[in-house]
Amino acid sequence: MAFQTHDLPLCKVLAVCFALCGLAAVGEGRFRGFRKFEVVQGSNQEAVSEELWFTQKLDHFNGADSRVWKQRYFVNEAFYKPGGPVFLMIGGEGPANPAWMKEGAWLTYAEKLGALCLMLEHRFYGKSHPTADLSTDNLRFLSSRQALADLAHFRTVMGETRGLTNRKWVAFGGSYPGSLAAWFRLKYPHLVHASVATSAPVFATVNFPEYLEVVWRSLASENADCPVLVKKASDTLVERLEDPKTFENITKDFNLCSPLQIQSEMDSAYLLEMLAGNFMDVVQYNEDNRGFEEKCARSEGHGPQPSTNLGVVGTNVTIKVLCGVMSDASLGDPYARYAAVARLMMETFSVKCLDTSFSNYVRDMTNTSWDGPAAGGGRQWVYQTCSEFGFYQSTDSPNQPFSGFPLGYQVKQCASFYNISAEEVAEAVAQTNEYYGGYEIRSSRIVFPNGSIDPWHALGITQDITAELPAVFIKGTAHCANMYPARSQDLPQLSEARDHIFLLLQQWLK
């Protein structure tokens, strides 16, 4: 039986009702697959820790290719005691955030266990540029397998140069890096002794309608009427999008940047997905402690950057706040309340208008320059979904509150951006599960923490596989919650989960 924390109602925190937030309309948030799978380290804050550089191979699986590049990493030696373990935080689909070298649950564990802490940025993200640009031809070097080989080579060379070869190494990661942490232990068991794989989707799937099913349940956990009202609003919008006479009003209602034009199903799907994203993001990160990243930046004299640091702005907006707006009859019918949510979220993020042009999105996503609008992670991450994982959060299930962005819309983007067909996406996803094992992963000393509110738990391990592959399922918490620094308002079961993970580490490092 998995270690399951006791079921308590969601923490009743006071939220500022007028300061609604959403991640959908800002910065990298425009890049669909990327936005809802934002790495826990993702941020463009200036460094609060010294940047170091490691010479890495471009292609680990071709001995005849001798090309190399520089990969960014960070070190914190403050807690290290000779003979202690080495903790390796794995970067993911965004810039590695050095705030994590100053705060986070893993540093609490490091202090107690005398660990040296390292963080390695993922290839093709942040400042770790292996190639001259992001052409589809170059993106063939972007994969989880190459990333794991990066980690293996980094661990080997660091072990040799720092005298850490015989130390016990522990991998940490949240979200996609959580999957990498599990797979690092699976594929390189001689190099990594244990892993903490937080909010890790280990099963690849082309269609992931369960994501929105969890959104329904998470909204309903606050107020049973909330997802029903969202569905009514979404259905009304879908209906109006079929009548060009309503376009002028829709443009005003949602403060669009240009007059609404629907020339294909892709145009309407993009608009509908963007507006649904307001709810998807708030559910995914409900009541977490991402705000610590801002505090770390301020302590170094660097202000937060709302347009890129999606993890900080609007963290006071919760499921409770959104459902409060959707239940407010004084705002009008459910459609009007839905529009109010969108406008107030834009206000929170200082976004003047909503760019819902699908053609602009295609233009940005096909820009292959490192200076391009999608180079912060959007072009790269969507490529990984097309070439490895799928994870498309479609409206193909009847048990969710949104309409209008089916699987076909999502998969067509793979062809538009990278010339990858629907059949090739399906084949790539099947190969990923064959290579890593999906839900049937078999290894040892990997712990899988997940939150019940987080929609990604549907693709993760939420029950013990074996005593050596335990799950920690935390009721009432969201994406990567156990990784953030502890605070007084944390749910008791979240504190309990962090303690349980520490006890496992203590036991595994004996």
Side-chain angles (χ1 to χ4, degrees), residues 16 95 99 170 198 262 316 380 389 407 474 489 506 508:
V16 181
V170 181
T198 297
I262 301 294
N316 55 340
Q380 301 94 303
F389 304 123
L407 180 63
I474 316 164
Q489 63 264 48
Q506 206 173 26
W508 292 341

Side-chain angles (χ1 to χ4, degrees), residues 208-259:
F208 183 27
E210 295 86 355
Y211 186 101
L212 294 177
E213 293 178 353
V214 179
V215 170
W216 178 289
R217 293 197 296 273
S218 297
L219 293 173
S221 71
E222 175 58 42
N223 176 342
D225 291 334
C226 185
V228 178
L229 291 164
V230 171
K231 180 165 174 50
K232 281 182 183 171
S234 180
D235 288 347
T236 301
L237 179 56
V238 169
E239 212 174 280
R240 293 184 184 182
L241 287 171
E242 291 172 5
D243 179 5
K245 291 175 188 164
T246 68
F247 288 5
E248 190 177 339
N249 283 338
I250 291 172
T251 300
K252 289 176 187 167
D253 294 339
F254 292 95
N255 196 18
L256 306 188
C257 295
S258 54

Side-chain angles (χ1 to χ4, degrees), residues 158-464:
M158 283 290 142
E160 290 167 356
T161 57
R162 286 180 169 257
L164 302 168
T165 299
N166 297 320
R167 301 275 69 80
K168 289 178 178 174
W169 287 60
V170 181
F172 290 81
S175 204
Y176 164 54
S179 308
L180 292 176
W183 297 334
F184 190 27
R185 170 70 186 142
L186 172 72
K187 294 297 184 181
Y188 296 91
H190 56 295
L191 296 179
V192 61
H193 183 74
S195 289
V196 180
T198 297
S199 298
V202 296
F203 182 74
T205 180
V206 179
N207 201 3
F208 183 27
E210 295 86 355
Y211 186 101
L212 294 177
E213 293 178 353
V214 179
V215 170
W216 178 289
R217 293 197 296 273
S218 297
L219 293 173
S221 71
E222 175 58 42
N223 176 342
D225 291 334
C226 185
V228 178
L229 291 164
V230 171
K231 180 165 174 50
K232 281 182 183 171
S234 180
D235 288 347
T236 301
L237 179 56
V238 169
E239 212 174 280
R240 293 184 184 182
L241 287 171
E242 291 172 5
D243 179 5
K245 291 175 188 164
T246 68
F247 288 5
E248 190 177 339
N249 283 338
I250 291 172
T251 300
K252 289 176 187 167
D253 294 339
F254 292 95
N255 196 18
L256 306 188
C257 295
S258 54
L260 178 63
Q261 292 184 323
I262 301 294
Q263 293 167 333
S264 74
E265 288 179 359
M266 301 298 276
D267 292 325
S268 58
Y270 185 62
L271 168 65
L272 291 164
E273 187 190 25
M274 181 173 280
L275 295 172
N278 293 329
F279 292 82
M280 296 158 80
D281 293 317
V282 170
V283 167
Q284 179 166 315
Y285 293 105
N286 189 59
E287 294 186 357
D288 68 16
N289 189 20
R290 281 163 293 148
F292 91 91
E293 296 180 329
E294 178 177 5
K295 184 179 75 175
C296 283
R298 283 183 173 163
S299 72
E300 294 293 320
H302 310 307
Q305 299 175 22
S307 65
T308 50
N309 189 1
L310 305 184
V312 173
V313 183
T315 47
N316 55 340
V317 178
T318 61
I319 291 170
K320 182 181 180 70
V321 174
L322 285 194
C323 288
V325 174
M326 289 307 299
S327 303
D328 186 351
S330 72
L331 294 171
D333 64 5
Y335 167 87
R337 301 171 209 173
Y338 198 65
V341 165
R343 289 195 308 272
L344 286 168
M345 286 181 168
M346 290 166 62
E347 187 180 314
T348 298
F349 281 106
S350 304
V351 174
K352 290 176 181 169
C353 61
L354 208 55
D355 181 1
T356 58
S357 164
F358 184 71
S359 60
N360 286 355
Y361 175 53
V362 173
R363 179 199 65 206
D364 291 348
M365 285 293 287
T366 51
N367 184 323
T368 62
S369 165
W370 278 110
D371 297 322
R379 178 166 169 79
Q380 301 94 303
W381 176 247
V382 176
Y383 174 80
Q384 286 195 261
T385 69
C386 294
S387 62
E388 293 192 82
F389 304 123
F391 294 152
Y392 301 118
Q393 298 130 29
S394 75
T395 51
D396 292 355
S397 165
N399 306 314
Q400 53 79 35
F402 304 105
S403 303
F405 44 104
L407 180 63
Y409 151 75
Q410 320 230 14
V411 172
K412 280 176 189 170
Q413 294 178 40
C414 296
S416 298
F417 304 158
Y418 319 103
N419 199 28
I420 297 174
S421 69
E423 294 73 24
E424 288 168 328
V425 175
E427 179 58 31
V429 165
Q431 286 177 5
T432 296
N433 288 327
E434 190 176 280
Y435 187 69
Y436 295 121
Y439 293 123
E440 305 303 314
I441 186 169
R442 290 294 177 266
S443 183
S444 62
R445 293 194 294 272
I446 307 172
V447 57
F448 296 94
N450 275 283
S452 68
I453 297 290
D454 177 17
W456 288 100
H457 84 254
L459 298 181
I461 305 297
T462 57
Q463 293 190 326
D464 295 356

Side-chain angles (χ1 to χ4, degrees), residues 50-256:
E50 185 190 355
E51 291 180 337
L52 300 168
W53 300 90
F54 179 78
T55 301
Q56 192 65 267
K57 298 174 182 177
L58 177 63
D59 186 355
H60 293 279
F61 307 113
N62 179 2
D65 190 337
S66 59
R67 288 176 291 175
V68 295
W69 56 284
K70 296 288 189 186
Q71 187 168 25
R72 186 165 64 147
Y73 72 100
F74 301 91
V75 181
N76 180 344
E77 299 175 328
F79 309 119
Y80 184 59
K81 291 175 184 164
V86 181
F87 286 0
L88 176 56
M89 178 68 81
I90 299 172
E93 70 283 28
N97 184 355
W100 285 89
M101 303 312 291
K102 298 188 74 176
E103 280 200 67
W106 77 306
L107 294 184
T108 305
Y109 304 149
E111 188 169 9
K112 291 175 180 175
L113 296 168
L116 173 70
C117 295
L118 303 168
M119 177 165 67
L120 185 67
E121 188 167 65
H122 196 295
R123 60 169 54 204
F124 284 94
Y125 295 100
K127 295 184 181 179
S128 296
H129 298 179
T131 54
D133 62 24
L134 294 167
S135 68
T136 303
D137 189 48
N138 281 334
L139 288 177
R140 74 183 191 276
F141 298 110
L142 169 59
S143 69
S144 59
R145 298 180 201 195
Q146 293 281 6
L148 292 175
D150 285 341
L151 290 163
H153 188 54
F154 178 78
R155 186 260 184 258
T156 301
V157 174
M158 283 290 142
E160 290 167 356
T161 57
R162 286 180 169 257
L164 302 168
T165 299
N166 297 320
R167 301 275 69 80
K168 289 178 178 174
W169 287 60
V170 181
F172 290 81
S175 204
Y176 164 54
S179 308
L180 292 176
W183 297 334
F184 190 27
R185 170 70 186 142
L186 172 72
K187 294 297 184 181
Y188 296 91
H190 56 295
L191 296 179
V192 61
H193 183 74
S195 289
V196 180
T198 297
S199 298
V202 296
F203 182 74
T205 180
V206 179
N207 201 3
F208 183 27
E210 295 86 355
Y211 186 101
L212 294 177
E213 293 178 353
V214 179
V215 170
W216 178 289
R217 293 197 296 273
S218 297
L219 293 173
S221 71
E222 175 58 42
N223 176 342
D225 291 334
C226 185
V228 178
L229 291 164
V230 171
K231 180 165 174 50
K232 281 182 183 171
S234 180
D235 288 347
T236 301
L237 179 56
V238 169
E239 212 174 280
R240 293 184 184 182
L241 287 171
E242 291 172 5
D243 179 5
K245 291 175 188 164
T246 68
F247 288 5
E248 190 177 339
N249 283 338
I250 291 172
T251 300
K252 289 176 187 167
D253 294 339
F254 292 95
N255 196 18
L256 306 188

